[in-house]
Amino acid sequence: MKIANIGASTKEAQHLTRISTAEVAKQLGETRQAVYYTRRNTSASIHKVQKLAEIFQMSVDTFIELGEMDA
């Protein structure tokens, strides 16, 4: 069984796309600290997940798969 980890997905997407934390924060309308908080957590609202996938120009499924771990 796979477990989604939105924080890990966010970190990996940033690594792959080279989008800075400041840019992610700007596009989300949040502070950099809020993005760092998201990166440390395993879950987020579906709205935030959709927005993050959009920022990284990925489908929601692809974005989530970046942070999947075996349970």
Side-chain angles (χ1 to χ4, degrees):
M1 179 176 165
K2 298 276 186 182
I3 304 281
N5 181 326
I6 300 307
S9 294
T10 303
K11 287 181 207 175
E12 185 63 18
Q14 278 189 266
H15 174 75
L16 292 172
T17 62
R18 303 286 190 237
I19 297 176
S20 70
T21 300
E23 183 59 30
V24 173
K26 179 180 173 184
Q27 290 191 42
L28 285 174
E30 297 182 346
T31 64
R32 287 179 307 176
Q33 290 79 9
V35 174
Y36 287 126
Y37 178 80
T38 299
R39 289 172 49 138
R40 288 191 308 271
N41 286 291
T42 57
S43 64
S45 71
I46 188 64
H47 174 74
K48 184 174 248 183
V49 171
Q50 289 171 327
K51 186 66 178 169
L52 286 165
E54 182 182 308
I55 289 167
F56 297 117
Q57 299 180 349
M58 299 176 180
S59 70
V60 171
D61 288 340
T62 299
F63 175 74
I64 290 172
E65 286 172 3
L66 292 175
E68 282 185 343
M69 300 178 290
D70 290 324

